[in-house]
Amino acid sequence: DTAARRWEAPRWITRFEKFFRRSQTSRCLTAVRQELSSRRTAAKMEDDQRQQLLRQRNEEQRQRNEENQRRAVQDDAWWQEKQQMQERLLATQDDGLIEIPNRTVSMNQIAYTFDRETQGDNKTIEELDDAMDIEAGKMHAFVGGVGTPLQTKKWWQIFAVMLLILLLVCVLALFILWDAASAVPPQLQ
């Protein structure tokens, strides 16, 4: 602040200002000021301001229209993309629906084959169960008859019973192996 107060304009500037005030130009400036404050000039300035405001509104409206058109184009593109995606999805579903009968037929064939194999396995298991029951009955009869000699203290009787039990186990194992070998399908042999 103090530096600005201490500063003085050079003399030539002050002289120029004094000359300018006195000259013809100052009269022109006064006339211009009077003209600017006149009604006609005020009306012209108001008209110019209205036209400027109208131009701005038109420009804003044009920009809004362009933005709306751009959004409409984007929305159309988005809807077309969604529609194409739905069409692809429907086509995929149609293809899947066409394949369902083929898959159903193959599943039915697999189920039929599985059922036949299960029935065969069940029949084999029943035959094996019957054979085991028969052999268990024989074993009970044998063990019942062997129980009496086991009460003896003669070693040769005990040895004979052990030999018979070993022979029975071997015969039973051979029977099980023979039955299992006959149950294997010929394709796997």
Side-chain angles (χ1 to χ4, degrees):
D1 263 337
T2 56
R5 287 182 195 163
R6 279 185 273 160
W7 184 82
E8 292 182 23
R11 278 189 198 167
W12 67 271
I13 292 177
T14 357
R15 286 183 190 160
F16 181 73
E17 285 176 349
K18 287 179 186 176
F19 173 75
F20 188 71
R21 287 183 197 137
R22 292 182 199 145
S23 71
Q24 199 60 309
T25 311
S26 73
R27 287 185 215 146
C28 284
L29 284 175
T30 307
V32 167
R33 284 186 190 128
Q34 288 173 352
E35 182 65 30
L36 285 177
S37 62
S38 74
R39 283 185 161 175
R40 194 176 104 199
T41 306
K44 175 69 173 149
M45 289 177 75
E46 286 178 12
D47 187 45
D48 288 348
Q49 286 177 348
R50 275 192 228 116
Q51 286 181 359
Q52 179 64 26
L53 185 59
L54 185 61
R55 279 194 296 270
Q56 286 177 348
R57 286 182 183 167
N58 288 341
E59 180 63 23
E60 289 172 358
Q61 182 65 32
R62 185 188 60 77
Q63 288 176 353
R64 278 187 290 221
N65 289 341
E66 287 177 357
E67 180 68 20
N68 289 339
Q69 287 176 350
R70 185 181 57 79
R71 285 184 182 165
V73 168
Q74 287 177 345
D75 288 346
D76 287 344
W78 184 78
W79 280 109
Q80 286 177 354
E81 181 182 340
K82 289 295 182 185
Q83 187 177 11
Q84 288 174 355
M85 188 168 59
Q86 285 180 346
E87 288 173 359
R88 286 192 302 262
L89 182 62
L90 288 174
T92 303
Q93 288 176 346
D94 289 344
D95 292 344
L97 290 174
I98 290 171
E99 290 181 20
I100 286 176
N102 296 338
R103 290 181 182 174
T104 304
V105 168
S106 65
M107 290 296 282
N108 285 340
Q109 290 173 348
I110 291 170
Y112 179 73
T113 305
F114 183 73
D115 183 51
R116 283 183 35 210
E117 289 178 6
T118 304
Q119 287 176 356
D121 290 344
N122 286 343
K123 185 178 178 183
T124 304
I125 288 173
E126 287 175 5
E127 290 173 359
L128 186 59
D129 187 44
D130 291 341
M132 290 294 285
D133 287 342
I134 291 171
E135 293 302 319
K138 289 179 184 177
M139 181 71 132
H140 286 300
F142 178 74
V143 170
V146 169
T148 317
L150 285 179
Q151 294 174 356
T152 184
K153 296 198 185 249
K154 296 181 183 172
W155 65 271
W156 65 271
Q157 286 179 345
I158 294 173
F159 181 73
V161 168
M162 295 291 267
L163 186 62
L164 286 174
I165 290 173
L166 181 64
L167 182 63
L168 179 64
V169 168
C170 289
V171 168
L172 187 59
L174 284 175
F175 177 74
I176 290 172
L177 289 175
W178 177 77
D179 193 41
S182 67
V184 173
Q187 298 162 349
L188 298 177
Q189 290 181 348

